[in-house]
Amino acid sequence: MARTRITSGVLSEEFQTSTALSGTTINVDWNSSQIFTLTPTGNTQFTFSDYKIGMVKILVVTGAGGTNTLTFPNEAIRLGGDFDDTLSTKNFIQIVCTSDTGNGEFFYTISQQAT
């Protein structure tokens, strides 16, 4: 039996790319990238599309130094952490899809670098 090796060259774009997001109403296409980055310019509303059960995505949201808020779909359940919009603070938001039926189901956490 031959050994099979999977290399980064055969992985889909969704597993090895980063996409910069912009705007205040943002659709996150789960099939387009692994990591999404954003520095908000105002209160931001996210929607999700093209997700499948078991997918995990990462948002790196850098604080803009204002009072901006992030709003996730109703189907996204926050497990812990709060968004910190302090200038240059990096927020690591990890989201997992636990159901892809109907409007889906998601769980997410928000964390920042330990001080």
Side-chain angles (χ1 to χ4, degrees):
M1 182 164 89
R3 290 186 183 186
T4 303
R5 293 184 185 180
I6 298 174
T7 63
S8 61
V10 297
L11 292 176
S12 172
E13 291 295 308
E14 76 177 86
F15 297 110
Q16 55 184 341
T17 59
S18 177
T19 298
L21 302 173
S22 63
T24 55
T25 302
I26 299 172
N27 177 60
V28 177
D29 178 350
W30 283 51
N31 207 27
S32 66
S33 277
Q34 179 62 35
I35 298 174
F36 299 89
T37 60
L38 171 71
T39 300
T41 57
N43 296 334
T44 303
Q45 172 81 42
F46 292 103
T47 58
F48 298 151
S49 65
D50 213 9
Y51 48 83
K52 293 292 180 197
I53 191 170
M55 292 175 98
V56 177
K57 298 298 169 184
I58 296 167
L59 297 173
V60 178
V61 183
T62 303
T67 57
N68 299 313
T69 61
L70 305 179
T71 304
F72 292 90
N74 291 334
E75 298 78 22
I77 300 162
R78 183 171 59 93
L79 297 176
D82 292 306
F83 172 62
D84 184 347
D85 197 34
T86 303
L87 186 63
S88 299
T89 297
K90 292 199 182 277
N91 295 268
F92 181 85
I93 304 169
Q94 188 171 37
I95 310 166
V96 63
C97 176
T98 56
S99 173
D100 58 9
T101 59
N103 292 327
E105 178 183 68
F106 311 89
F107 288 88
Y108 70 98
T109 58
I110 304 173
S111 50
Q112 298 83 25
Q113 180 178 350
T115 55

Coordinates of all heavy atoms in Angstrom, one line a residue, residues 12-99:
S12 N -7.3 23.4 -1.0 CA -8.1 24.5 -1.5 C -7.7 25.8 -1.0 O -7.2 25.9 0.1 CB -9.6 24.1 -1.2 OG -10.4 25.2 -1.5
E13 N -8.1 26.9 -1.7 CA -7.8 28.3 -1.3 C -8.4 28.5 0.1 O -7.8 29.3 0.9 CB -8.5 29.3 -2.3 CG -7.8 29.3 -3.6 CD -6.4 29.8 -3.6 OE1 -6.1 30.9 -3.0 OE2 -5.5 29.1 -4.1
E14 N -9.5 27.9 0.4 CA -10.1 28.2 1.7 C -9.3 27.8 2.9 O -9.5 28.3 4.0 CB -11.5 27.5 1.9 CG -11.3 26.0 2.1 CD -12.7 25.3 2.3 OE1 -13.3 24.9 1.3 OE2 -13.1 25.2 3.5
F15 N -8.2 27.0 2.7 CA -7.4 26.5 3.8 C -6.1 27.3 3.9 O -5.3 27.1 4.8 CB -7.1 25.0 3.7 CG -8.3 24.2 3.8 CD1 -8.8 23.5 2.7 CD2 -9.0 24.1 5.0 CE1 -10.0 22.8 2.8 CE2 -10.2 23.3 5.1 CZ -10.7 22.7 4.0
Q16 N -5.8 28.1 2.9 CA -4.4 28.7 2.9 C -4.4 30.1 2.4 O -3.3 30.6 2.0 CB -3.5 27.8 2.0 CG -4.0 27.6 0.6 CD -3.1 26.6 -0.1 OE1 -1.9 26.4 0.2 NE2 -3.5 26.0 -1.2
T17 N -5.5 30.9 2.5 CA -5.4 32.3 2.1 C -6.0 33.2 3.2 O -6.7 32.7 4.1 CB -6.2 32.5 0.8 OG1 -7.6 32.1 1.0 CG2 -5.7 31.8 -0.4
S18 N -5.7 34.4 3.1 CA -6.2 35.5 4.0 C -6.8 36.5 3.1 O -6.3 36.9 2.0 CB -5.0 36.1 4.8 OG -5.5 37.1 5.6
T19 N -7.9 37.0 3.6 CA -8.7 38.1 2.8 C -8.9 39.3 3.7 O -9.4 39.1 4.9 CB -10.0 37.5 2.3 OG1 -9.8 36.4 1.4 CG2 -10.8 38.6 1.6
A20 N -8.6 40.5 3.2 CA -8.9 41.7 4.0 C -10.4 42.1 3.7 O -10.8 42.1 2.5 CB -8.0 42.8 3.5
L21 N -11.1 42.3 4.8 CA -12.5 42.7 4.7 C -12.6 44.2 4.8 O -11.7 44.9 5.5 CB -13.3 42.0 5.8 CG -13.3 40.5 5.8 CD1 -14.0 40.0 7.0 CD2 -13.9 40.0 4.5
S22 N -13.6 44.8 4.3 CA -13.9 46.3 4.5 C -15.4 46.5 4.4 O -16.2 45.7 4.0 CB -13.2 47.1 3.4 OG -13.7 46.8 2.1
G23 N -15.8 47.7 5.0 CA -17.2 48.0 5.0 C -17.8 47.8 6.4 O -17.1 47.4 7.3
T24 N -19.1 48.1 6.5 CA -19.8 48.0 7.7 C -20.8 46.9 7.7 O -21.3 46.5 8.7 CB -20.4 49.3 8.2 OG1 -21.3 49.8 7.1 CG2 -19.3 50.3 8.5
T25 N -21.2 46.4 6.5 CA -22.0 45.3 6.3 C -21.2 44.3 5.5 O -20.9 44.5 4.3 CB -23.3 45.6 5.6 OG1 -24.0 46.6 6.4 CG2 -24.2 44.4 5.4
I26 N -20.8 43.2 6.1 CA -19.8 42.3 5.5 C -20.3 40.9 5.5 O -20.7 40.3 6.5 CB -18.5 42.3 6.3 CG1 -17.9 43.7 6.3 CG2 -17.5 41.3 5.7 CD1 -16.7 43.9 7.2
N27 N -20.4 40.3 4.3 CA -20.6 38.9 4.1 C -19.3 38.1 4.2 O -18.4 38.4 3.4 CB -21.4 38.6 2.8 CG -21.6 37.1 2.7 OD1 -22.2 36.4 3.5 ND2 -21.1 36.5 1.7
V28 N -19.2 37.2 5.1 CA -18.0 36.3 5.2 C -18.3 35.0 4.4 O -19.2 34.2 4.8 CB -17.6 36.0 6.6 CG1 -16.4 35.1 6.7 CG2 -17.3 37.3 7.4
D29 N -17.7 34.9 3.2 CA -17.9 33.7 2.4 C -16.9 32.6 2.9 O -15.7 32.7 2.7 CB -17.6 34.0 0.9 CG -17.7 32.8 0.0 OD1 -17.8 31.6 0.5 OD2 -17.7 32.9 -1.2
W30 N -17.4 31.6 3.6 CA -16.5 30.7 4.3 C -15.7 29.8 3.4 O -14.8 29.2 3.8 CB -17.4 29.8 5.2 CG -17.8 30.4 6.5 CD1 -18.4 31.6 6.6 CD2 -17.7 29.9 7.8 NE1 -18.6 31.9 7.9 CE2 -18.2 30.8 8.7 CE3 -17.2 28.7 8.3 CZ2 -18.2 30.6 10.1 CZ3 -17.2 28.5 9.7 CH2 -17.7 29.5 10.5
N31 N -16.1 29.8 2.1 CA -15.4 29.0 1.2 C -14.2 29.7 0.5 O -13.6 29.2 -0.4 CB -16.3 28.4 0.1 CG -15.9 27.1 -0.5 OD1 -15.2 26.3 0.1 ND2 -16.3 26.8 -1.7
S32 N -14.0 31.0 0.8 CA -13.1 31.8 0.1 C -11.7 31.9 0.8 O -10.7 32.2 0.1 CB -13.6 33.2 -0.1 OG -13.8 33.9 1.1
S33 N -11.6 31.8 2.1 CA -10.4 32.0 2.8 C -10.4 31.3 4.2 O -11.5 30.9 4.6 CB -10.1 33.5 3.1 OG -9.5 34.1 2.0
Q34 N -9.2 31.2 4.8 CA -9.1 30.6 6.1 C -9.2 31.8 7.2 O -9.7 31.6 8.2 CB -7.9 29.8 6.3 CG -7.7 29.2 7.6 CD -8.8 28.3 8.0 OE1 -9.3 27.5 7.2 NE2 -9.1 28.2 9.3
I35 N -8.5 32.8 6.8 CA -8.3 34.0 7.8 C -8.8 35.2 7.1 O -8.6 35.5 5.9 CB -6.9 34.2 8.2 CG1 -6.4 32.9 8.9 CG2 -6.7 35.4 9.1 CD1 -4.9 32.9 9.3
F36 N -9.6 36.0 7.9 CA -10.1 37.3 7.4 C -9.6 38.4 8.3 O -9.6 38.2 9.5 CB -11.7 37.2 7.4 CG -12.3 36.2 6.5 CD1 -12.5 34.9 7.0 CD2 -12.5 36.4 5.2 CE1 -13.0 33.9 6.2 CE2 -13.1 35.5 4.4 CZ -13.3 34.2 4.9
T37 N -9.2 39.5 7.8 CA -8.7 40.6 8.6 C -9.6 41.8 8.3 O -10.2 42.0 7.3 CB -7.3 41.0 8.2 OG1 -7.2 41.3 6.8 CG2 -6.4 39.8 8.4
L38 N -9.7 42.7 9.4 CA -10.5 43.8 9.3 C -10.0 44.9 10.3 O -9.7 44.5 11.5 CB -12.0 43.5 9.6 CG -13.0 44.6 9.8 CD1 -13.3 45.3 8.5 CD2 -14.3 44.1 10.4
T39 N -10.0 46.1 9.9 CA -9.9 47.2 10.9 C -11.2 48.0 10.6 O -11.4 48.6 9.5 CB -8.7 48.1 10.6 OG1 -7.5 47.3 10.7 CG2 -8.7 49.3 11.6
P40 N -12.2 48.0 11.6 CA -13.5 48.5 11.3 C -13.5 50.1 11.2 O -12.7 50.8 11.8 CB -14.3 48.1 12.6 CG -13.3 47.6 13.6 CD -12.1 47.4 12.9
T41 N -14.4 50.5 10.3 CA -14.5 52.0 10.1 C -15.8 52.5 10.7 O -16.2 53.6 10.5 CB -14.5 52.3 8.6 OG1 -15.5 51.6 8.0 CG2 -13.1 52.0 8.0
G42 N -16.5 51.6 11.4 CA -17.8 51.9 12.0 C -18.3 50.6 12.6 O -17.7 49.6 12.6
N43 N -19.5 50.7 13.2 CA -20.2 49.5 13.7 C -20.3 48.5 12.5 O -20.8 48.9 11.4 CB -21.5 49.8 14.3 CG -21.4 50.7 15.5 OD1 -20.4 50.7 16.2 ND2 -22.4 51.4 15.8
T44 N -20.0 47.2 12.7 CA -19.9 46.3 11.7 C -20.9 45.1 11.9 O -20.9 44.5 13.0 CB -18.5 45.7 11.5 OG1 -17.6 46.8 11.3 CG2 -18.3 44.8 10.4
Q45 N -21.6 44.8 10.9 CA -22.6 43.7 10.9 C -22.1 42.6 9.9 O -21.8 42.8 8.8 CB -23.9 44.1 10.4 CG -25.0 43.1 10.2 CD -25.6 42.7 11.5 OE1 -26.0 43.5 12.3 NE2 -25.9 41.4 11.7
F46 N -21.9 41.3 10.5 CA -21.5 40.2 9.7 C -22.6 39.3 9.3 O -23.5 39.1 10.1 CB -20.5 39.3 10.5 CG -19.1 40.0 10.7 CD1 -18.9 40.5 12.0 CD2 -18.2 40.1 9.8 CE1 -17.7 41.1 12.3 CE2 -17.0 40.8 10.0 CZ -16.7 41.3 11.3
T47 N -22.5 38.7 8.1 CA -23.4 37.6 7.7 C -22.4 36.5 7.2 O -21.3 36.8 6.8 CB -24.4 38.0 6.6 OG1 -23.6 38.5 5.4 CG2 -25.4 39.1 7.0
F48 N -22.9 35.3 7.2 CA -22.1 34.2 6.8 C -22.8 33.5 5.6 O -24.0 33.3 5.5 CB -22.0 33.1 7.9 CG -21.3 33.7 9.1 CD1 -21.6 33.1 10.4 CD2 -20.3 34.7 9.1 CE1 -21.0 33.6 11.5 CE2 -19.7 35.1 10.2 CZ -20.0 34.6 11.5
S49 N -21.9 33.0 4.7 CA -22.4 32.2 3.5 C -21.4 31.1 3.2 O -20.2 31.2 3.5 CB -22.7 33.1 2.3 OG -21.5 33.7 1.8
D50 N -21.9 30.1 2.4 CA -21.1 29.1 1.9 C -20.3 28.3 2.9 O -19.2 27.9 2.7 CB -20.1 29.6 0.8 CG -19.9 28.6 -0.3 OD1 -20.5 27.6 -0.3 OD2 -19.0 28.9 -1.1
Y51 N -20.9 28.0 4.1 CA -20.3 27.3 5.2 C -20.8 25.9 5.2 O -21.8 25.5 4.6 CB -20.7 28.0 6.5 CG -22.2 28.3 6.7 CD1 -23.1 27.3 7.1 CD2 -22.7 29.5 6.4 CE1 -24.4 27.5 7.2 CE2 -24.0 29.8 6.5 CZ -24.9 28.8 6.9 OH -26.2 29.1 7.0
K52 N -19.9 25.0 5.8 CA -20.2 23.6 6.0 C -19.9 23.2 7.4 O -18.9 23.7 8.0 CB -19.4 22.7 5.0 CG -19.8 22.9 3.5 CD -21.2 22.4 3.3 CE -21.6 22.6 1.8 NZ -23.0 22.5 1.6
I53 N -20.6 22.2 7.9 CA -20.4 21.8 9.3 C -18.9 21.4 9.4 O -18.3 20.8 8.5 CB -21.3 20.6 9.6 CG1 -21.3 20.3 11.1 CG2 -21.0 19.4 8.7 CD1 -22.3 19.3 11.5
G54 N -18.3 21.8 10.5 CA -16.9 21.5 10.8 C -15.9 22.5 10.4 O -14.8 22.5 10.8
M55 N -16.3 23.4 9.6 CA -15.4 24.5 9.1 C -15.1 25.4 10.3 O -15.9 25.7 11.1 CB -16.0 25.3 8.0 CG -16.1 24.5 6.7 SD -16.9 25.5 5.4 CE -15.5 26.1 4.5
V56 N -13.8 25.9 10.3 CA -13.4 26.8 11.4 C -12.7 28.0 10.6 O -11.9 27.8 9.8 CB -12.3 26.2 12.3 CG1 -11.8 27.2 13.3 CG2 -12.9 25.0 13.0
K57 N -13.1 29.2 11.0 CA -12.6 30.4 10.4 C -12.1 31.3 11.5 O -12.5 31.3 12.6 CB -13.6 31.1 9.5 CG -14.2 30.3 8.4 CD -13.0 29.9 7.4 CE -13.5 28.9 6.4 NZ -12.4 28.5 5.5
I58 N -11.1 32.2 11.1 CA -10.5 33.1 12.0 C -10.7 34.5 11.5 O -10.4 34.8 10.3 CB -9.0 32.8 12.2 CG1 -8.9 31.4 12.8 CG2 -8.3 33.9 13.0 CD1 -7.5 30.8 12.8
L59 N -11.1 35.4 12.3 CA -11.2 36.8 12.0 C -10.1 37.5 12.9 O -10.1 37.3 14.1 CB -12.5 37.4 12.4 CG -13.8 37.0 11.6 CD1 -15.0 37.6 12.2 CD2 -13.6 37.3 10.1
V60 N -9.3 38.3 12.3 CA -8.3 39.1 13.1 C -8.8 40.6 12.9 O -8.7 41.1 11.8 CB -6.9 39.0 12.6 CG1 -6.0 39.9 13.4 CG2 -6.4 37.5 12.8
V61 N -9.4 41.1 13.9 CA -10.0 42.5 13.8 C -9.1 43.4 14.7 O -9.0 43.2 15.9 CB -11.5 42.5 14.3 CG1 -12.1 43.8 14.2 CG2 -12.3 41.4 13.5
T62 N -8.5 44.4 14.0 CA -7.6 45.3 14.7 C -8.4 46.5 15.1 O -9.1 47.1 14.3 CB -6.5 45.7 13.8 OG1 -5.8 44.6 13.4 CG2 -5.5 46.7 14.5
G63 N -8.3 46.9 16.4 CA -9.1 48.0 16.9 C -8.7 49.3 16.2 O -7.5 49.5 15.9
A64 N -9.7 50.1 16.0 CA -9.5 51.4 15.3 C -9.4 52.6 16.2 O -9.2 53.7 15.8 CB -10.6 51.6 14.3
G65 N -9.6 52.3 17.5 CA -9.5 53.4 18.5 C -10.7 54.2 18.6 O -10.7 55.4 19.0
G66 N -11.8 53.6 18.4 CA -13.1 54.2 18.5 C -14.1 53.4 19.4 O -13.6 52.8 20.4
T67 N -15.3 53.5 19.1 CA -16.3 52.8 19.9 C -17.1 51.8 19.0 O -18.3 51.6 19.2 CB -17.3 53.8 20.6 OG1 -17.9 54.6 19.6 CG2 -16.6 54.6 21.6
N68 N -16.4 51.3 18.0 CA -17.0 50.4 17.0 C -17.5 49.1 17.7 O -16.8 48.7 18.6 CB -16.1 50.1 15.9 CG -15.6 51.4 15.1 OD1 -16.5 52.2 14.8 ND2 -14.4 51.5 14.9
T69 N -18.5 48.6 17.2 CA -19.1 47.3 17.7 C -19.1 46.3 16.5 O -19.1 46.6 15.3 CB -20.5 47.4 18.2 OG1 -21.4 47.9 17.2 CG2 -20.5 48.4 19.4
L70 N -19.1 45.0 16.9 CA -19.2 43.9 15.9 C -20.5 43.2 16.2 O -20.8 42.9 17.4 CB -18.0 42.9 16.0 CG -16.6 43.5 15.9 CD1 -15.6 42.3 16.0 CD2 -16.4 44.2 14.5
T71 N -21.3 42.9 15.2 CA -22.5 42.2 15.4 C -22.5 40.9 14.5 O -22.3 41.1 13.3 CB -23.8 43.0 15.0 OG1 -23.7 44.2 15.8 CG2 -25.0 42.3 15.3
F72 N -22.7 39.8 15.1 CA -22.7 38.5 14.3 C -24.1 38.0 14.1 O -25.0 38.5 14.8 CB -21.9 37.5 15.1 CG -20.4 37.8 15.2 CD1 -19.9 38.6 16.2 CD2 -19.5 37.3 14.2 CE1 -18.5 38.9 16.3 CE2 -18.2 37.6 14.2 CZ -17.7 38.4 15.3
P73 N -24.3 37.1 13.2 CA -25.7 36.6 12.9 C -26.3 36.0 14.2 O -25.5 35.6 15.1 CB -25.4 35.5 11.9 CG -24.1 35.8 11.2 CD -23.3 36.5 12.3
N74 N -27.6 36.0 14.3 CA -28.3 35.5 15.4 C -27.9 34.0 15.7 O -28.0 33.5 16.8 CB -29.8 35.6 15.3 CG -30.3 37.0 15.4 OD1 -29.6 37.8 16.0 ND2 -31.4 37.3 14.7
E75 N -27.5 33.3 14.7 CA -27.1 31.9 14.8 C -25.7 31.7 15.4 O -25.3 30.6 15.6 CB -27.2 31.2 13.4 CG -28.6 31.2 12.8 CD -29.0 32.5 12.2 OE1 -28.1 33.3 11.8 OE2 -30.2 32.8 12.1
A76 N -25.0 32.8 15.6 CA -23.6 32.7 16.1 C -23.7 32.9 17.6 O -24.2 34.0 18.1 CB -22.8 33.7 15.4
I77 N -23.2 31.9 18.4 CA -23.3 32.0 19.8 C -21.9 32.3 20.4 O -21.0 31.5 20.1 CB -23.8 30.6 20.3 CG1 -25.2 30.3 19.8 CG2 -23.8 30.6 21.9 CD1 -25.6 28.9 19.8
R78 N -21.8 33.4 21.1 CA -20.6 33.8 21.7 C -20.3 33.0 23.0 O -21.1 32.9 23.9 CB -20.5 35.3 22.0 CG -19.2 35.8 22.6 CD -19.1 37.3 22.7 NE -20.2 37.8 23.6 CZ -20.0 38.0 24.9 NH1 -18.8 37.8 25.5 NH2 -21.0 38.5 25.6
L79 N -19.2 32.3 23.0 CA -18.8 31.5 24.2 C -18.0 32.3 25.2 O -18.1 32.0 26.4 CB -17.9 30.3 23.7 CG -18.6 29.3 22.8 CD1 -17.7 28.2 22.4 CD2 -19.8 28.7 23.5
G80 N -17.3 33.3 24.8 CA -16.6 34.2 25.7 C -15.8 35.2 25.0 O -15.5 35.2 23.8
G81 N -15.4 36.2 25.8 CA -14.5 37.3 25.3 C -15.4 38.4 24.7 O -16.5 38.3 24.4
D82 N -14.8 39.6 24.7 CA -15.4 40.8 24.2 C -14.5 41.5 23.2 O -13.2 41.4 23.3 CB -15.7 41.8 25.3 CG -16.8 41.3 26.3 OD1 -17.8 40.9 25.8 OD2 -16.5 41.2 27.5
F83 N -15.0 42.1 22.2 CA -14.3 42.9 21.2 C -13.7 44.1 21.9 O -14.4 44.9 22.6 CB -15.2 43.3 20.1 CG -14.5 44.2 19.1 CD1 -13.4 43.8 18.4 CD2 -15.1 45.5 18.9 CE1 -12.8 44.7 17.5 CE2 -14.5 46.4 18.0 CZ -13.4 46.0 17.3
D84 N -12.4 44.4 21.7 CA -11.7 45.5 22.2 C -11.3 46.4 21.0 O -10.4 46.0 20.2 CB -10.4 45.1 23.0 CG -9.7 46.2 23.7 OD1 -10.0 47.4 23.3 OD2 -8.8 45.9 24.5
D85 N -11.9 47.6 20.9 CA -11.6 48.5 19.8 C -10.5 49.5 20.1 O -10.3 50.5 19.4 CB -12.9 49.3 19.4 CG -12.8 49.9 18.0 OD1 -12.1 49.3 17.2 OD2 -13.4 51.0 17.8
T86 N -9.7 49.3 21.2 CA -8.6 50.1 21.5 C -7.7 50.1 20.3 O -7.4 49.1 19.7 CB -7.9 49.7 22.8 OG1 -8.8 49.6 23.8 CG2 -6.7 50.5 23.1
L87 N -7.1 51.3 20.0 CA -6.3 51.5 18.8 C -5.2 50.4 18.8 O -4.5 50.2 19.7 CB -5.6 52.9 18.8 CG -4.8 53.2 17.6 CD1 -5.6 53.2 16.3 CD2 -4.1 54.5 17.8
S88 N -5.1 49.7 17.6 CA -4.1 48.7 17.3 C -4.2 47.4 18.1 O -3.4 46.5 17.9 CB -2.7 49.3 17.5 OG -2.5 50.3 16.6
T89 N -5.2 47.2 18.9 CA -5.4 46.0 19.6 C -5.9 44.9 18.6 O -6.9 45.2 17.9 CB -6.5 46.1 20.8 OG1 -5.9 47.0 21.7 CG2 -6.8 44.8 21.4
K90 N -5.3 43.8 18.6 CA -5.7 42.7 17.7 C -6.6 41.8 18.5 O -6.2 41.2 19.5 CB -4.5 42.0 17.2 CG -3.6 42.8 16.2 CD -2.7 42.0 15.4 CE -1.9 42.8 14.5 NZ -2.6 43.2 13.3
N91 N -7.8 41.6 17.9 CA -8.8 40.7 18.4 C -8.8 39.4 17.6 O -8.9 39.5 16.4 CB -10.2 41.3 18.3 CG -10.3 42.5 19.2 OD1 -10.7 42.4 20.4 ND2 -9.9 43.7 18.7
F92 N -8.6 38.3 18.2 CA -8.5 37.0 17.5 C -9.9 36.3 17.8 O -10.3 36.0 18.9 CB -7.4 36.1 18.2 CG -7.3 34.8 17.5 CD1 -6.5 34.6 16.4 CD2 -7.9 33.6 18.1 CE1 -6.4 33.3 15.8 CE2 -7.7 32.4 17.5 CZ -7.0 32.2 16.4
I93 N -10.6 36.2 16.7 CA -12.0 35.7 16.8 C -12.0 34.3 16.0 O -11.8 34.3 14.8 CB -13.0 36.6 16.2 CG1 -12.9 38.0 16.9 CG2 -14.4 36.1 16.3 CD1 -13.7 39.1 16.3
Q94 N -12.3 33.3 16.7 CA -12.3 31.9 16.1 C -13.8 31.5 16.1 O -14.5 31.5 17.1 CB -11.5 31.0 16.9 CG -11.3 29.6 16.2 CD -10.3 28.7 16.9 OE1 -10.2 28.7 18.1 NE2 -9.6 28.0 16.1
I95 N -14.3 31.1 14.9 CA -15.6 30.7 14.7 C -15.7 29.3 14.1 O -15.0 29.0 13.2 CB -16.3 31.6 13.7 CG1 -16.1 33.1 14.1 CG2 -17.8 31.3 13.6 CD1 -16.5 34.1 13.0
V96 N -16.6 28.4 14.7 CA -16.7 27.1 14.1 C -18.2 26.9 13.7 O -19.1 27.4 14.4 CB -16.3 26.0 15.1 CG1 -17.1 26.0 16.4 CG2 -16.3 24.6 14.5
C97 N -18.4 26.2 12.6 CA -19.8 25.9 12.1 C -20.1 24.5 12.7 O -19.5 23.6 12.4 CB -19.8 25.9 10.6 SG -21.4 25.4 9.9
T98 N -21.2 24.5 13.5 CA -21.6 23.2 14.0 C -22.9 22.6 13.4 O -23.3 21.5 13.7 CB -21.9 23.3 15.6 OG1 -22.8 24.3 15.8 CG2 -20.6 23.6 16.3
S99 N -23.5 23.4 12.5 CA -24.6 22.9 11.7 C -24.7 23.7 10.4 O -24.6 24.9 10.5 CB -26.0 23.0 12.5 OG -27.1 22.7 11.7

